[in-house]
């Protein structure tokens, strides 16, 4: 069994799931994967069953946080040393997984983020303005600059896996990053490139993106008083 598990949360991803898993198995054959079907209403579950993918399924849509927590519990029960969050929509390139694992092993970091902006500049856009604001809030509350706090490609070590299993308030979001940094967890970043989703539509339209950025900044600012 591999020491690394890729958690692949999937909600209505029938158009991209198989190609994502095929590429993951081809490019990174040394790691295991778990598809977490989060109550999909399309053919995602059927594809998992017909193609005998390694999967678990929520009876209803519980959201990304629950999907990642389910994967963390699976990883803990099966003794994995590392977990990587990996999108089902084809945006994440599995060729970078080895670089994230190497960085974690070399530096002893608890979390390694696949970052789009370590060596590349952020484009000028409303979404990137929100990303800059979140980075500034994390810097203000922790003293550490995270260049790509909204990246969903993150590698966690065994210490984090155990914490996610025991603390149900943890989420794969920037406010959790800020909280863990304040608790002494080490976070590093590795430059990656990301692609457009291969099928379907993103949940985050303009209005939802603005609301997400605002809620995240508020949570980062105020969670420090409650999660010491």
């Amino acid at each position: 069994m591999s020491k690394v598990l890729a958690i692949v949360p999937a909600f209505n991803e029938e158009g991209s799931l198989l190609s994502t898993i095929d590429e993951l198995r081809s490019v990174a054959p040394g790691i295991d994967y778990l598809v977490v079907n989060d109550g999909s209403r399309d053919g995602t579950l059927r594809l998992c069953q017909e193609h005998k993918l390694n999967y678990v399924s929520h009876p209803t849509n519980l959201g990304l946080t629950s999907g990642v927590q389910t994967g963390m519990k699976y990883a803990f029960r099966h003794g994995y040393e590392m977990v990587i969050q990996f999108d089902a929509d084809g945006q994440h390139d599995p060729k970078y997984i080895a670089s994230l694992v190497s960085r974690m092993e070399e530096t002893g970091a608890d979390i390694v983020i696949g970052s789009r902006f370590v060596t590349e500049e952020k484009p000028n856009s409303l979404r990137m303005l929100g990303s800059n604001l979140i980075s500034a809030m994390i810097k203000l509350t922790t003293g550490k600059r995270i260049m790509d706090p909204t990246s969903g490609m993150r590698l966690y070590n065994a210490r984090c896996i155990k914490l996610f299993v025991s603390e149900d308030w943890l989420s794969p979001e920037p406010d959790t990053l800020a909280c863990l940094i304040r608790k002494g967890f080490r976070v590093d970043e590795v430059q990656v490139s990301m692609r457009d989703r291969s099928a379907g539509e993103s949940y985050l339209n303009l209005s939802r993106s603005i609301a997400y950025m605002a809620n995240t900044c508020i949570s980062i600012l105020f969670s420090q008083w409650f999660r010491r």
Side-chain angles (χ1 to χ4, degrees):
M1 185 180 67
S2 169
K3 65 182 179 181
V4 184
L5 176 72
I7 299 174
V8 187
F11 175 63
N12 293 343
E13 297 289 2
E14 66 173 340
S16 58
L17 179 61
L18 289 183
S19 60
T20 295
I21 298 301
D22 285 345
E23 184 184 31
L24 181 62
R25 291 192 291 199
S26 174
V27 176
I31 73 168
D32 295 337
Y33 74 89
L34 176 73
V35 176
V36 182
N37 172 45
D38 190 27
S40 297
R41 295 187 292 269
D42 63 357
T44 297
L45 177 58
R46 174 181 52 80
L47 290 177
C48 290
Q49 295 168 334
E50 290 180 352
H51 293 267
K52 294 180 171 58
L53 303 184
N54 187 40
Y55 78 96
V56 294
S57 192
H58 294 164
T60 59
N61 179 236
L62 301 177
L64 177 62
T65 293
S66 291
V68 171
Q69 288 173 340
T70 294
M72 290 289 192
K73 292 174 183 176
Y74 179 97
F76 183 75
R77 288 196 301 268
H78 290 81
Y80 287 96
E81 299 175 17
M82 304 176 192
V83 154
I84 185 163
Q85 182 184 337
F86 198 83
D87 284 358
D89 59 14
Q91 292 190 78
H92 295 166
D93 192 329
K95 72 181 181 182
Y96 294 111
I97 295 177
S99 298
L100 272 68
V101 171
S102 294
R103 179 64 63 86
M104 180 169 284
E105 293 176 336
E106 291 167 1
T107 66
D110 297 292
I111 302 170
V112 180
I113 301 171
S115 172
R116 295 161 287 183
F117 309 119
V118 175
T119 59
E120 302 290 331
E121 292 187 3
K122 291 183 180 180
N124 294 320
S125 68
L126 184 60
R127 179 170 292 186
M128 290 303 104
L129 178 62
S131 176
N132 285 332
L133 182 58
I134 292 173
S135 292
M137 296 301 293
I138 294 176
K139 174 70 172 178
L140 175 67
T141 57
T142 70
K144 182 174 179 59
R145 172 72 68 179
I146 301 296
M147 301 306 298
D148 196 0
T150 61
S151 169
M153 190 177 190
R154 297 179 188 164
L155 181 72
Y156 300 88
N157 68 1
R159 183 186 180 197
C160 291
I161 295 171
K162 184 176 181 180
L163 190 65
F164 265 83
V165 170
S166 61
E167 301 285 348
D168 60 7
W169 56 269
L170 291 171
S171 71
E173 299 292 353
D175 53 350
T176 286
L177 275 181
C179 187
L180 292 180
I181 292 170
R182 290 196 302 273
K183 288 179 175 291
F185 284 69
R186 294 180 57 189
V187 179
D188 205 345
E189 294 182 89
V190 170
Q191 179 66 42
V192 303
S193 295
M194 294 191 186
R195 308 171 291 204
D196 293 333
R197 63 166 37 245
S198 58
E201 296 182 0
S202 172
Y203 167 80
L204 288 175
N205 55 30
L206 179 58
S207 61
R208 286 172 177 164
S209 294
I210 293 173
Y212 170 81
M213 298 299 178
N215 291 335
T216 298
C217 288
I218 293 171
S219 181
I220 291 171
L221 182 60
F222 288 102
S223 67
Q224 62 179 315
W225 307 112
F226 303 102
R227 301 293 185 187
R228 292 185 181 275

mmCIF file of all heavy atoms in Angstrom, residues 46-64:
data_model
loop_
_atom_site.group_PDB
_atom_site.id
_atom_site.type_symbol
_atom_site.label_atom_id
_atom_site.label_comp_id
_atom_site.label_asym_id
_atom_site.label_seq_id
_atom_site.Cartn_x
_atom_site.Cartn_y
_atom_site.Cartn_z
ATOM 1 N N ARG A 46 -22.732 6.080 -10.446
ATOM 2 C CA ARG A 46 -22.800 4.968 -11.408
ATOM 3 C C ARG A 46 -21.428 4.685 -12.005
ATOM 4 O O ARG A 46 -21.023 3.515 -12.145
ATOM 5 C CB ARG A 46 -23.806 5.305 -12.516
ATOM 6 C CG ARG A 46 -23.855 4.285 -13.647
ATOM 7 C CD ARG A 46 -24.848 4.689 -14.717
ATOM 8 N NE ARG A 46 -24.619 6.050 -15.177
ATOM 9 C CZ ARG A 46 -23.675 6.387 -16.063
ATOM 10 N NH1 ARG A 46 -22.871 5.458 -16.574
ATOM 11 N NH2 ARG A 46 -23.551 7.632 -16.459
ATOM 12 N N LEU A 47 -20.685 5.736 -12.344
ATOM 13 C CA LEU A 47 -19.345 5.553 -12.904
ATOM 14 C C LEU A 47 -18.421 4.880 -11.890
ATOM 15 O O LEU A 47 -17.621 4.010 -12.245
ATOM 16 C CB LEU A 47 -18.759 6.902 -13.330
ATOM 17 C CG LEU A 47 -19.401 7.574 -14.546
ATOM 18 C CD1 LEU A 47 -18.763 8.929 -14.799
ATOM 19 C CD2 LEU A 47 -19.274 6.692 -15.779
ATOM 20 N N CYS A 48 -18.529 5.292 -10.635
ATOM 21 C CA CYS A 48 -17.699 4.678 -9.594
ATOM 22 C C CYS A 48 -17.978 3.179 -9.499
ATOM 23 O O CYS A 48 -17.048 2.367 -9.348
ATOM 24 C CB CYS A 48 -17.970 5.334 -8.242
ATOM 25 S SG CYS A 48 -17.362 7.030 -8.069
ATOM 26 N N GLN A 49 -19.248 2.819 -9.591
ATOM 27 C CA GLN A 49 -19.630 1.412 -9.469
ATOM 28 C C GLN A 49 -19.236 0.618 -10.716
ATOM 29 O O GLN A 49 -18.647 -0.463 -10.613
ATOM 30 C CB GLN A 49 -21.140 1.322 -9.243
ATOM 31 C CG GLN A 49 -21.589 1.934 -7.917
ATOM 32 C CD GLN A 49 -23.095 2.097 -7.817
ATOM 33 O OE1 GLN A 49 -23.781 2.212 -8.842
ATOM 34 N NE2 GLN A 49 -23.617 2.103 -6.602
ATOM 35 N N GLU A 50 -19.546 1.150 -11.894
ATOM 36 C CA GLU A 50 -19.299 0.420 -13.133
ATOM 37 C C GLU A 50 -17.812 0.216 -13.394
ATOM 38 O O GLU A 50 -17.399 -0.822 -13.931
ATOM 39 C CB GLU A 50 -19.939 1.148 -14.311
ATOM 40 C CG GLU A 50 -21.462 1.102 -14.311
ATOM 41 C CD GLU A 50 -22.063 1.841 -15.492
ATOM 42 O OE1 GLU A 50 -21.294 2.510 -16.230
ATOM 43 O OE2 GLU A 50 -23.283 1.755 -15.676
ATOM 44 N N HIS A 51 -16.988 1.213 -13.035
ATOM 45 C CA HIS A 51 -15.552 1.139 -13.305
ATOM 46 C C HIS A 51 -14.754 0.671 -12.093
ATOM 47 O O HIS A 51 -13.520 0.709 -12.111
ATOM 48 C CB HIS A 51 -15.052 2.496 -13.787
ATOM 49 C CG HIS A 51 -15.602 2.881 -15.125
ATOM 50 N ND1 HIS A 51 -14.948 2.605 -16.312
ATOM 51 C CD2 HIS A 51 -16.768 3.499 -15.472
ATOM 52 C CE1 HIS A 51 -15.667 3.046 -17.330
ATOM 53 N NE2 HIS A 51 -16.780 3.591 -16.854
ATOM 54 N N LYS A 52 -15.473 0.240 -11.061
ATOM 55 C CA LYS A 52 -14.852 -0.332 -9.865
ATOM 56 C C LYS A 52 -13.768 0.583 -9.288
ATOM 57 O O LYS A 52 -12.665 0.147 -8.942
ATOM 58 C CB LYS A 52 -14.286 -1.715 -10.181
ATOM 59 C CG LYS A 52 -15.372 -2.739 -10.529
ATOM 60 C CD LYS A 52 -14.756 -4.094 -10.832
ATOM 61 C CE LYS A 52 -15.840 -5.171 -10.963
ATOM 62 N NZ LYS A 52 -16.838 -4.868 -12.010
ATOM 63 N N LEU A 53 -14.114 1.862 -9.203
ATOM 64 C CA LEU A 53 -13.206 2.809 -8.570
ATOM 65 C C LEU A 53 -13.210 2.588 -7.060
ATOM 66 O O LEU A 53 -14.146 2.043 -6.498
ATOM 67 C CB LEU A 53 -13.639 4.250 -8.882
ATOM 68 C CG LEU A 53 -13.746 4.646 -10.351
ATOM 69 C CD1 LEU A 53 -14.088 6.129 -10.470
ATOM 70 C CD2 LEU A 53 -12.456 4.344 -11.112
ATOM 71 N N ASN A 54 -12.152 3.018 -6.407
ATOM 72 C CA ASN A 54 -12.120 2.992 -4.947
ATOM 73 C C ASN A 54 -12.880 4.230 -4.467
ATOM 74 O O ASN A 54 -12.421 5.356 -4.672
ATOM 75 C CB ASN A 54 -10.679 3.012 -4.443
ATOM 76 C CG ASN A 54 -10.594 2.823 -2.938
ATOM 77 O OD1 ASN A 54 -11.326 2.025 -2.364
ATOM 78 N ND2 ASN A 54 -9.714 3.564 -2.292
ATOM 79 N N TYR A 55 -14.029 4.022 -3.844
ATOM 80 C CA TYR A 55 -14.869 5.167 -3.512
ATOM 81 C C TYR A 55 -15.668 4.903 -2.240
ATOM 82 O O TYR A 55 -15.870 3.765 -1.810
ATOM 83 C CB TYR A 55 -15.830 5.488 -4.660
ATOM 84 C CG TYR A 55 -17.023 4.571 -4.740
ATOM 85 C CD1 TYR A 55 -18.246 4.920 -4.159
ATOM 86 C CD2 TYR A 55 -16.928 3.341 -5.388
ATOM 87 C CE1 TYR A 55 -19.344 4.065 -4.230
ATOM 88 C CE2 TYR A 55 -18.009 2.488 -5.457
ATOM 89 C CZ TYR A 55 -19.214 2.846 -4.874
ATOM 90 O OH TYR A 55 -20.298 2.007 -4.930
ATOM 91 N N VAL A 56 -16.114 6.002 -1.633
ATOM 92 C CA VAL A 56 -17.165 5.982 -0.618
ATOM 93 C C VAL A 56 -18.195 6.998 -1.070
ATOM 94 O O VAL A 56 -17.892 7.900 -1.866
ATOM 95 C CB VAL A 56 -16.633 6.323 0.790
ATOM 96 C CG1 VAL A 56 -15.683 5.263 1.288
ATOM 97 C CG2 VAL A 56 -15.985 7.700 0.810
ATOM 98 N N SER A 57 -19.409 6.879 -0.558
ATOM 99 C CA SER A 57 -20.482 7.725 -1.062
ATOM 100 C C SER A 57 -21.315 8.280 0.075
ATOM 101 O O SER A 57 -21.748 7.538 0.967
ATOM 102 C CB SER A 57 -21.378 6.924 -2.018
ATOM 103 O OG SER A 57 -22.263 7.774 -2.722
ATOM 104 N N HIS A 58 -21.528 9.606 0.052
ATOM 105 C CA HIS A 58 -22.467 10.236 0.985
ATOM 106 C C HIS A 58 -23.881 10.120 0.422
ATOM 107 O O HIS A 58 -24.085 10.307 -0.785
ATOM 108 C CB HIS A 58 -22.135 11.719 1.168
ATOM 109 C CG HIS A 58 -20.826 11.973 1.840
ATOM 110 N ND1 HIS A 58 -20.190 13.196 1.812
ATOM 111 C CD2 HIS A 58 -20.016 11.165 2.591
ATOM 112 C CE1 HIS A 58 -19.064 13.134 2.489
ATOM 113 N NE2 HIS A 58 -18.935 11.920 2.970
ATOM 114 N N PRO A 59 -24.873 9.857 1.253
ATOM 115 C CA PRO A 59 -26.244 9.742 0.752
ATOM 116 C C PRO A 59 -26.818 11.059 0.242
ATOM 117 O O PRO A 59 -27.704 11.075 -0.613
ATOM 118 C CB PRO A 59 -27.028 9.239 1.967
ATOM 119 C CG PRO A 59 -26.212 9.648 3.145
ATOM 120 C CD PRO A 59 -24.788 9.580 2.695
ATOM 121 N N THR A 60 -26.314 12.193 0.784
ATOM 122 C CA THR A 60 -26.739 13.520 0.342
ATOM 123 C C THR A 60 -25.504 14.406 0.202
ATOM 124 O O THR A 60 -24.415 14.053 0.676
ATOM 125 C CB THR A 60 -27.716 14.176 1.337
ATOM 126 O OG1 THR A 60 -27.077 14.300 2.622
ATOM 127 C CG2 THR A 60 -28.979 13.353 1.484
ATOM 128 N N ASN A 61 -25.688 15.549 -0.424
ATOM 129 C CA ASN A 61 -24.585 16.487 -0.589
ATOM 130 C C ASN A 61 -24.287 17.184 0.731
ATOM 131 O O ASN A 61 -25.111 17.917 1.262
ATOM 132 C CB ASN A 61 -24.941 17.513 -1.666
ATOM 133 C CG ASN A 61 -23.838 18.533 -1.870
ATOM 134 O OD1 ASN A 61 -24.068 19.733 -1.756
ATOM 135 N ND2 ASN A 61 -22.641 18.083 -2.165
ATOM 136 N N LEU A 62 -23.098 16.956 1.266
ATOM 137 C CA LEU A 62 -22.693 17.514 2.557
ATOM 138 C C LEU A 62 -21.670 18.626 2.434
ATOM 139 O O LEU A 62 -21.367 19.300 3.413
ATOM 140 C CB LEU A 62 -22.132 16.399 3.450
ATOM 141 C CG LEU A 62 -23.080 15.232 3.742
ATOM 142 C CD1 LEU A 62 -22.369 14.166 4.566
ATOM 143 C CD2 LEU A 62 -24.327 15.730 4.469
ATOM 144 N N GLY A 63 -21.098 18.812 1.237
ATOM 145 C CA GLY A 63 -20.142 19.887 1.033
ATOM 146 C C GLY A 63 -18.697 19.411 1.059
ATOM 147 O O GLY A 63 -18.384 18.301 1.505
ATOM 148 N N LEU A 64 -17.811 20.296 0.597
ATOM 149 C CA LEU A 64 -16.398 19.947 0.461
ATOM 150 C C LEU A 64 -15.766 19.562 1.793
ATOM 151 O O LEU A 64 -14.984 18.613 1.871
ATOM 152 C CB LEU A 64 -15.640 21.120 -0.161
ATOM 153 C CG LEU A 64 -14.123 20.947 -0.308
ATOM 154 C CD1 LEU A 64 -13.796 19.773 -1.221
ATOM 155 C CD2 LEU A 64 -13.489 22.231 -0.838
#
